[in-house]
Coordinates of all heavy atoms in Angstrom, one line a residue:
G1 N 12.0 98.9 -67.4 CA 11.2 98.4 -68.5 C 11.7 98.7 -69.9 O 12.8 99.4 -70.0
H2 N 11.1 98.3 -70.9 CA 11.5 98.5 -72.2 C 10.9 99.8 -72.7 O 9.9 100.2 -72.2 CB 11.1 97.3 -73.1 CG 12.0 96.1 -72.9 ND1 13.1 95.9 -73.6 CD2 11.8 95.1 -72.0 CE1 13.7 94.8 -73.2 NE2 12.9 94.3 -72.2
E3 N 11.5 100.4 -73.7 CA 11.0 101.6 -74.3 C 10.9 101.5 -75.8 O 11.7 100.8 -76.4 CB 11.8 102.8 -73.8 CG 13.3 102.6 -74.0 CD 14.0 103.7 -73.3 OE1 13.8 104.0 -72.1 OE2 14.9 104.3 -74.0
A4 N 10.0 102.3 -76.4 CA 10.0 102.4 -77.9 C 10.5 103.8 -78.3 O 10.2 104.7 -77.6 CB 8.5 102.2 -78.3
S5 N 11.1 103.8 -79.4 CA 11.6 105.1 -79.9 C 11.0 105.4 -81.2 O 10.9 104.6 -82.1 CB 13.2 105.1 -80.0 OG 13.8 104.9 -78.8
L6 N 10.6 106.6 -81.4 CA 10.0 107.1 -82.7 C 11.1 107.9 -83.3 O 11.8 108.7 -82.7 CB 8.8 108.0 -82.5 CG 7.6 107.3 -81.9 CD1 6.5 108.4 -81.8 CD2 7.1 106.2 -82.7
M7 N 11.3 107.7 -84.6 CA 12.4 108.3 -85.3 C 11.8 109.3 -86.4 O 10.7 109.2 -86.8 CB 13.2 107.3 -86.1 CG 13.9 106.3 -85.2 SD 14.9 107.1 -84.0 CE 16.1 105.8 -83.8
E8 N 12.6 110.3 -86.7 CA 12.3 111.2 -87.7 C 13.3 111.0 -88.9 O 14.5 110.9 -88.6 CB 12.4 112.7 -87.2 CG 12.1 113.7 -88.2 CD 12.2 115.1 -87.6 OE1 13.3 115.5 -87.1 OE2 11.2 115.8 -87.5
V9 N 12.8 110.9 -90.1 CA 13.6 110.6 -91.2 C 13.5 111.7 -92.3 O 12.4 112.0 -92.7 CB 13.2 109.2 -91.9 CG1 14.1 108.9 -93.1 CG2 13.2 108.1 -90.9
D10 N 14.6 112.3 -92.6 CA 14.7 113.4 -93.5 C 13.6 114.5 -93.2 O 12.9 115.0 -94.1 CB 14.5 112.9 -95.0 CG 15.7 112.1 -95.4 OD1 16.8 112.4 -95.0 OD2 15.5 111.3 -96.3
G11 N 13.4 114.8 -91.9 CA 12.4 115.8 -91.6 C 11.0 115.3 -91.6 O 10.0 116.1 -91.4
Q12 N 10.7 114.0 -91.9 CA 9.4 113.5 -91.9 C 9.3 112.5 -90.7 O 10.2 112.0 -90.3 CB 9.2 112.7 -93.2 CG 9.3 113.4 -94.4 CD 9.3 112.5 -95.6 OE1 8.7 111.5 -95.6 NE2 10.0 112.9 -96.7
D13 N 8.0 112.3 -90.2 CA 7.9 111.3 -89.2 C 8.1 109.9 -89.7 O 8.1 109.7 -90.9 CB 6.5 111.4 -88.5 CG 5.3 111.2 -89.4 OD1 5.4 110.3 -90.2 OD2 4.3 111.8 -89.2
A14 N 8.3 109.0 -88.9 CA 8.6 107.6 -89.3 C 7.6 107.0 -90.2 O 7.9 106.2 -91.1 CB 8.9 106.7 -88.1
Q15 N 6.3 107.3 -89.9 CA 5.2 106.7 -90.7 C 5.3 107.2 -92.2 O 5.2 106.4 -93.1 CB 3.8 107.1 -90.2 CG 2.7 106.5 -91.0 CD 1.3 106.9 -90.5 OE1 1.2 107.9 -89.8 NE2 0.3 106.2 -90.9
S16 N 5.5 108.5 -92.4 CA 5.6 109.0 -93.8 C 6.8 108.4 -94.5 O 6.7 108.0 -95.6 CB 5.8 110.5 -93.7 OG 4.6 111.1 -93.2
A17 N 7.9 108.3 -93.8 CA 9.1 107.7 -94.4 C 8.9 106.3 -94.8 O 9.4 105.9 -95.8 CB 10.3 107.9 -93.4
T18 N 8.3 105.5 -93.9 CA 8.1 104.1 -94.3 C 7.2 103.9 -95.4 O 7.2 102.9 -96.1 CB 7.6 103.2 -93.0 OG1 6.4 103.8 -92.5 CG2 8.7 103.2 -92.0
E19 N 6.3 104.8 -95.7 CA 5.4 104.7 -96.8 C 6.2 105.0 -98.1 O 5.8 104.5 -99.2 CB 4.2 105.7 -96.7 CG 3.3 105.3 -95.6 CD 2.2 106.4 -95.3 OE1 2.3 107.5 -95.9 OE2 1.4 106.1 -94.5
K20 N 7.3 105.7 -98.0 CA 8.0 106.1 -99.2 C 9.1 105.1 -99.6 O 9.4 104.8 -100.7 CB 8.7 107.4 -99.0 CG 7.8 108.6 -99.1 CD 8.6 109.9 -99.1 CE 7.7 111.0 -99.5 NZ 8.5 112.2 -99.7
V21 N 9.8 104.5 -98.6 CA 10.9 103.6 -98.8 C 10.7 102.3 -98.1 O 10.5 102.3 -96.9 CB 12.2 104.3 -98.3 CG1 13.4 103.3 -98.5 CG2 12.5 105.6 -99.1
A22 N 10.8 101.2 -98.8 CA 10.7 99.9 -98.2 C 12.1 99.4 -98.0 O 12.9 99.3 -98.9 CB 9.9 98.9 -99.0
T23 N 12.5 99.2 -96.7 CA 13.9 98.8 -96.4 C 13.9 97.5 -95.7 O 13.1 97.3 -94.7 CB 14.6 99.8 -95.6 OG1 14.6 101.1 -96.2 CG2 16.1 99.5 -95.3
D24 N 14.8 96.5 -96.1 CA 14.8 95.3 -95.4 C 15.7 95.4 -94.1 O 16.3 96.4 -93.8 CB 15.3 94.1 -96.3 CG 16.7 94.3 -96.8 OD1 17.4 95.0 -96.2 OD2 17.0 93.6 -97.8
A25 N 15.9 94.3 -93.4 CA 16.6 94.3 -92.1 C 18.0 94.7 -92.3 O 18.7 95.1 -91.3 CB 16.4 93.0 -91.4
T26 N 18.6 94.5 -93.4 CA 20.0 94.8 -93.7 C 20.3 96.2 -94.0 O 21.4 96.7 -94.2 CB 20.6 93.9 -94.8 OG1 20.0 94.2 -96.0 CG2 20.5 92.4 -94.4
G27 N 19.2 97.0 -94.1 CA 19.4 98.4 -94.5 C 19.4 98.7 -96.0 O 19.8 99.7 -96.5
Q28 N 19.1 97.6 -96.8 CA 19.1 97.8 -98.3 C 17.8 98.2 -98.8 O 16.8 97.7 -98.4 CB 19.6 96.5 -98.9 CG 21.0 96.1 -98.6 CD 21.4 94.9 -99.3 OE1 20.6 94.2 -99.9 NE2 22.7 94.6 -99.3
T29 N 17.8 99.2 -99.6 CA 16.5 99.7 -100.2 C 16.1 98.8 -101.3 O 16.8 98.5 -102.2 CB 16.7 101.2 -100.7 OG1 17.2 102.0 -99.7 CG2 15.4 101.7 -101.3
Q30 N 14.8 98.4 -101.3 CA 14.2 97.6 -102.4 C 13.8 98.6 -103.5 O 12.9 99.4 -103.2 CB 13.1 96.8 -101.8 CG 13.4 95.9 -100.6 CD 14.3 94.8 -101.0 OE1 14.3 94.3 -102.1 NE2 15.2 94.4 -100.1
S31 N 14.3 98.4 -104.6 CA 13.9 99.3 -105.7 C 13.8 98.5 -107.0 O 14.8 98.2 -107.7 CB 14.9 100.4 -105.9 OG 14.6 101.2 -107.0
G32 N 12.6 98.0 -107.4 CA 12.5 97.2 -108.6 C 13.2 95.9 -108.4 O 13.1 95.2 -107.4
D33 N 14.1 95.6 -109.4 CA 14.8 94.3 -109.4 C 16.1 94.4 -108.8 O 16.9 93.5 -108.7 CB 15.0 93.8 -110.8 CG 13.6 93.4 -111.5 OD1 12.7 93.0 -110.7 OD2 13.5 93.5 -112.7
H34 N 16.6 95.6 -108.4 CA 17.9 95.8 -107.8 C 17.8 96.4 -106.4 O 16.9 96.9 -106.0 CB 18.8 96.6 -108.7 CG 18.5 98.1 -108.7 ND1 17.4 98.5 -109.4 CD2 19.0 99.1 -108.1 CE1 17.3 99.9 -109.2 NE2 18.3 100.2 -108.4
Q35 N 18.9 96.2 -105.7 CA 19.0 96.7 -104.3 C 20.2 97.7 -104.3 O 21.2 97.4 -104.9 CB 19.2 95.6 -103.3 CG 18.1 94.6 -103.2 CD 18.4 93.5 -102.2 OE1 19.5 93.4 -101.6 NE2 17.4 92.7 -101.9
Q36 N 20.1 98.7 -103.5 CA 21.2 99.6 -103.3 C 21.4 99.8 -101.8 O 20.4 99.9 -101.0 CB 21.0 100.9 -104.0 CG 20.0 101.8 -103.5 CD 19.8 103.1 -104.3 OE1 19.4 102.9 -105.4 NE2 20.0 104.2 -103.7
Q37 N 22.6 100.0 -101.3 CA 22.9 100.2 -99.9 C 22.6 101.7 -99.6 O 23.0 102.6 -100.3 CB 24.4 99.9 -99.6 CG 24.7 99.9 -98.2 CD 24.1 98.8 -97.4 OE1 23.9 97.7 -97.9 NE2 23.8 99.1 -96.1
R38 N 21.9 101.9 -98.5 CA 21.6 103.3 -98.0 C 22.0 103.4 -96.6 O 21.8 102.5 -95.8 CB 20.1 103.6 -98.1 CG 19.6 103.9 -99.4 CD 18.1 104.3 -99.4 NE 17.8 105.2 -98.3 CZ 17.1 106.3 -98.5 NH1 16.7 106.6 -99.7 NH2 16.8 107.1 -97.5
K39 N 22.7 104.5 -96.3 CA 23.0 104.8 -94.9 C 21.7 105.3 -94.2 O 21.0 106.1 -94.8 CB 24.1 105.8 -94.8 CG 25.4 105.3 -95.3 CD 26.5 106.3 -95.1 CE 27.8 105.8 -95.5 NZ 28.9 106.8 -95.3
P40 N 21.5 105.0 -93.0 CA 20.3 105.5 -92.3 C 20.4 107.0 -92.1 O 21.5 107.5 -91.8 CB 20.3 104.8 -90.9 CG 21.3 103.8 -91.0 CD 22.2 104.0 -92.2
N41 N 19.3 107.7 -92.3 CA 19.3 109.2 -92.1 C 18.1 109.5 -91.2 O 17.1 110.0 -91.7 CB 19.1 109.9 -93.5 CG 19.3 111.4 -93.4 OD1 19.7 111.9 -92.4 ND2 18.8 112.1 -94.4
Y42 N 18.3 109.2 -89.9 CA 17.3 109.5 -89.0 C 17.9 109.9 -87.6 O 19.1 109.8 -87.4 CB 16.4 108.3 -88.7 CG 17.1 107.0 -88.4 CD1 17.5 106.8 -87.0 CD2 17.5 106.1 -89.3 CE1 18.2 105.6 -86.7 CE2 18.1 104.9 -89.0 CZ 18.5 104.7 -87.6 OH 19.2 103.6 -87.3
K43 N 17.0 110.6 -86.8 CA 17.5 111.0 -85.5 C 16.3 110.7 -84.5 O 15.1 110.6 -84.9 CB 17.8 112.5 -85.4 CG 16.7 113.4 -85.7 CD 17.1 114.8 -85.7 CE 15.9 115.7 -86.1 NZ 16.2 117.1 -86.0
L44 N 16.7 110.5 -83.3 CA 15.7 110.2 -82.2 C 14.8 111.4 -82.0 O 15.2 112.5 -81.9 CB 16.4 109.9 -80.9 CG 15.5 109.6 -79.7 CD1 14.7 108.3 -80.0 CD2 16.3 109.4 -78.5
K45 N 13.5 111.1 -82.1 CA 12.5 112.2 -81.9 C 11.8 112.1 -80.6 O 11.6 113.1 -79.9 CB 11.5 112.2 -83.1 CG 10.6 113.4 -83.1 CD 9.8 113.5 -84.4 CE 9.0 114.7 -84.5 NZ 8.2 114.7 -85.7
F46 N 11.3 110.9 -80.2 CA 10.6 110.7 -78.9 C 11.1 109.3 -78.4 O 11.4 108.4 -79.1 CB 9.1 110.6 -79.1 CG 8.5 111.8 -79.7 CD1 8.1 111.9 -81.0 CD2 8.2 112.9 -78.8 CE1 7.5 113.1 -81.5 CE2 7.7 114.0 -79.3 CZ 7.3 114.1 -80.6
T47 N 11.0 109.2 -77.1 CA 11.2 107.9 -76.4 C 9.9 107.6 -75.6 O 9.5 108.4 -74.8 CB 12.4 107.8 -75.5 OG1 13.5 108.1 -76.3 CG2 12.6 106.5 -74.8
L48 N 9.3 106.5 -75.9 CA 8.0 106.1 -75.2 C 8.4 105.0 -74.2 O 8.8 103.9 -74.6 CB 7.0 105.6 -76.2 CG 6.7 106.7 -77.3 CD1 5.7 106.0 -78.3 CD2 6.1 107.9 -76.7
E49 N 8.2 105.2 -72.9 CA 8.5 104.2 -71.9 C 7.2 103.6 -71.3 O 6.2 104.3 -71.2 CB 9.3 104.9 -70.8 CG 10.6 105.4 -71.3 CD 11.4 106.1 -70.2 OE1 11.1 105.8 -69.0 OE2 12.4 106.8 -70.5
G50 N 7.3 102.3 -71.0 CA 6.1 101.7 -70.4 C 6.1 100.2 -70.4 O 5.6 99.6 -69.4
H51 N 6.5 99.5 -71.5 CA 6.4 98.1 -71.5 C 7.5 97.5 -70.6 O 8.6 98.0 -70.5 CB 6.6 97.6 -72.9 CG 5.4 97.9 -73.8 ND1 4.2 97.3 -73.7 CD2 5.3 98.7 -74.9 CE1 3.4 97.7 -74.6 NE2 4.0 98.5 -75.4
E52 N 7.2 96.3 -70.0 CA 8.1 95.6 -69.1 C 9.0 94.7 -69.9 O 10.1 94.3 -69.4 CB 7.3 94.9 -68.0 CG 6.6 95.8 -67.1 CD 7.5 96.8 -66.4 OE1 8.6 96.4 -65.9 OE2 7.1 98.0 -66.2
K53 N 8.6 94.2 -71.1 CA 9.4 93.3 -71.9 C 9.5 93.8 -73.3 O 9.0 94.9 -73.6 CB 8.7 91.9 -71.9 CG 8.7 91.2 -70.5 CD 8.2 89.8 -70.7 CE 8.3 89.1 -69.3 NZ 7.8 87.7 -69.4
A54 N 10.2 93.1 -74.2 CA 10.5 93.5 -75.5 C 9.2 93.8 -76.3 O 8.2 93.2 -76.1 CB 11.2 92.4 -76.2
I55 N 9.3 94.8 -77.1 CA 8.2 95.3 -78.0 C 8.2 94.4 -79.2 O 9.2 94.2 -79.9 CB 8.4 96.7 -78.4 CG1 8.3 97.6 -77.1 CG2 7.3 97.2 -79.4 CD1 8.8 99.0 -77.3
A56 N 7.0 93.8 -79.5 CA 6.9 92.8 -80.6 C 6.4 93.4 -81.8 O 6.6 93.0 -82.9 CB 5.9 91.7 -80.1
S57 N 5.6 94.5 -81.7 CA 4.9 95.1 -82.9 C 4.5 96.5 -82.6 O 4.1 96.9 -81.4 CB 3.7 94.3 -83.2 OG 3.0 94.8 -84.3
V58 N 4.6 97.4 -83.6 CA 4.0 98.7 -83.5 C 3.2 99.0 -84.8 O 3.5 98.5 -85.8 CB 5.1 99.8 -83.3 CG1 5.8 99.7 -82.0 CG2 6.1 99.8 -84.5
K59 N 2.2 99.8 -84.6 CA 1.3 100.2 -85.8 C 0.7 101.6 -85.6 O 0.2 101.9 -84.5 CB 0.2 99.1 -85.9 CG -0.8 99.3 -86.9 CD -0.3 99.0 -88.3 CE -1.4 99.2 -89.3 NZ -0.9 99.5 -90.6
F60 N 0.8 102.4 -86.6 CA 0.1 103.7 -86.6 C -1.4 103.5 -87.0 O -1.7 102.6 -87.8 CB 0.7 104.6 -87.6 CG 2.0 105.3 -87.2 CD1 3.2 104.7 -87.5 CD2 2.0 106.4 -86.4 CE1 4.4 105.3 -87.1 CE2 3.2 107.0 -86.0 CZ 4.4 106.4 -86.3
S61 N -2.2 104.3 -86.4 CA -3.6 104.3 -86.8 C -3.8 104.9 -88.2 O -2.9 105.5 -88.7 CB -4.4 105.2 -85.8 OG -4.0 106.6 -85.9
N62 N -4.9 104.6 -88.8 CA -5.1 105.1 -90.2 C -5.0 106.6 -90.3 O -4.5 107.1 -91.3 CB -6.5 104.7 -90.7 CG -6.6 103.2 -91.0 OD1 -5.5 102.5 -91.1 ND2 -7.7 102.6 -91.0
C63 N -5.4 107.3 -89.3 CA -5.3 108.8 -89.4 C -3.8 109.3 -89.1 O -3.5 110.5 -89.3 CB -6.2 109.5 -88.4 SG -5.9 109.2 -86.6
G64 N -3.0 108.4 -88.6 CA -1.6 108.8 -88.3 C -1.4 109.5 -86.9 O -0.3 109.8 -86.6
K65 N -2.5 109.6 -86.2 CA -2.4 110.4 -84.9 C -2.0 109.5 -83.8 O -1.4 110.0 -82.8 CB -3.8 111.0 -84.6 CG -3.8 111.9 -83.4 CD -5.2 112.5 -83.3 CE -5.3 113.4 -82.0 NZ -6.6 114.1 -81.9
Y66 N -2.3 108.2 -83.8 CA -2.0 107.3 -82.7 C -1.0 106.2 -83.1 O -1.0 105.8 -84.3 CB -3.3 106.7 -82.2 CG -4.4 107.7 -81.8 CD1 -5.4 108.0 -82.6 CD2 -4.2 108.3 -80.6 CE1 -6.4 108.9 -82.3 CE2 -5.2 109.3 -80.2 CZ -6.3 109.6 -81.1 OH -7.2 110.5 -80.7
L67 N -0.3 105.7 -82.1 CA 0.6 104.6 -82.3 C 0.2 103.5 -81.3 O 0.0 103.8 -80.1 CB 2.0 105.0 -82.1 CG 3.1 103.9 -82.2 CD1 3.2 103.5 -83.7 CD2 4.4 104.5 -81.7
A68 N 0.1 102.3 -81.7 CA -0.2 101.2 -80.8 C 1.1 100.3 -80.7 O 1.7 100.1 -81.8 CB -1.4 100.3 -81.2
S69 N 1.4 99.9 -79.6 CA 2.6 98.9 -79.4 C 2.1 97.7 -78.6 O 1.4 97.9 -77.7 CB 3.8 99.6 -78.8 OG 3.4 100.2 -77.5
A70 N 2.6 96.6 -79.1 CA 2.3 95.3 -78.4 C 3.6 94.7 -77.9 O 4.7 94.8 -78.5 CB 1.6 94.3 -79.3
S71 N 3.6 94.2 -76.7 CA 4.8 93.7 -76.0 C 4.7 92.2 -75.6 O 3.6 91.7 -75.4 CB 5.1 94.6 -74.8 OG 6.1 94.1 -74.0
A72 N 5.9 91.7 -75.4 CA 5.9 90.3 -74.9 C 5.4 90.2 -73.5 O 5.1 89.1 -73.0 CB 7.4 89.8 -74.9
D73 N 5.2 91.3 -72.8 CA 4.6 91.3 -71.4 C 3.1 91.2 -71.5 O 2.4 91.4 -70.5 CB 5.0 92.5 -70.6 CG 4.6 93.9 -71.2 OD1 3.7 93.9 -72.1 OD2 5.1 94.9 -70.8
K74 N 2.5 91.0 -72.7 CA 1.1 90.8 -73.0 C 0.3 92.1 -72.7 O -0.9 92.0 -72.3 CB 0.6 89.6 -72.1 CG 1.2 88.3 -72.4 CD 0.6 87.2 -71.6 CE 1.4 85.9 -72.0 NZ 0.9 84.8 -71.3
T75 N 0.9 93.2 -73.0 CA 0.2 94.5 -73.0 C 0.2 95.1 -74.3 O 1.1 94.9 -75.1 CB 0.8 95.5 -71.9 OG1 2.1 95.8 -72.3 CG2 0.8 94.9 -70.5
V76 N -0.8 96.0 -74.5 CA -0.9 96.8 -75.7 C -1.0 98.2 -75.2 O -1.9 98.5 -74.3 CB -2.1 96.5 -76.6 CG1 -2.3 97.5 -77.7 CG2 -2.0 95.0 -77.2
M77 N -0.3 99.1 -75.7 CA -0.3 100.5 -75.3 C -0.7 101.4 -76.5 O -0.2 101.2 -77.6 CB 1.0 101.0 -74.7 CG 1.3 100.2 -73.4 SD 2.6 101.0 -72.5 CE 2.5 100.2 -71.0
L78 N -1.5 102.4 -76.2 CA -1.8 103.4 -77.3 C -1.1 104.7 -76.9 O -1.2 105.2 -75.7 CB -3.3 103.7 -77.3 CG -4.2 102.5 -77.7 CD1 -5.6 102.8 -77.7 CD2 -3.8 102.0 -79.1
W79 N -0.4 105.3 -77.8 CA 0.4 106.5 -77.6 C -0.2 107.7 -78.4 O -0.7 107.5 -79.5 CB 1.8 106.3 -78.0 CG 2.4 105.0 -77.4 CD1 2.4 103.8 -78.0 CD2 3.1 104.8 -76.2 NE1 3.1 102.9 -77.2 CE2 3.5 103.5 -76.1 CE3 3.4 105.7 -75.2 CZ2 4.2 103.0 -75.0 CZ3 4.1 105.2 -74.1 CH2 4.5 103.9 -74.0

């Protein structure tokens, strides 16, 4: 099956990091009117296994305690 990985960025969980820095798919940081190249600074923290097909979406709960993932296998999992 497919698995989801949670990353830790600069000692923060992925949710906190994404709230601080908006990065596009090329790894460029969006900052006002200009873009600058940033090297990723993260390490694998957890691997969540369970979906049978590709993961289409992930979302943290408002409290930050839970993570929901939706897959092409038509399942939603709460972690």
Side-chain angles (χ1 to χ4, degrees):
H2 288 268
E3 47 189 52
S5 297
L6 296 180
M7 302 299 211
E8 181 177 62
V9 181
D10 290 331
Q12 303 171 28
D13 63 39
Q15 180 185 16
S16 297
T18 56
E19 291 170 355
K20 286 187 166 188
V21 178
T23 304
D24 66 19
T26 64
Q28 294 182 347
T29 302
Q30 305 292 328
S31 177
D33 293 333
H34 71 283
Q35 296 178 354
Q36 71 184 61
Q37 187 69 31
R38 278 181 51 128
K39 291 184 180 180
N41 186 17
Y42 55 83
K43 63 182 179 177
L44 179 64
K45 190 170 181 181
F46 298 103
T47 299
L48 305 174
E49 299 180 16
H51 289 294
E52 296 298 319
K53 292 188 177 180
I55 297 164
S57 179
V58 294
K59 176 75 174 152
F60 281 95
S61 63
N62 289 339
C63 68
K65 185 175 178 181
Y66 303 103
L67 177 71
S69 58
S71 171
D73 64 11
K74 300 182 181 179
T75 61
V76 173
M77 294 192 169
L78 297 177
W79 310 92

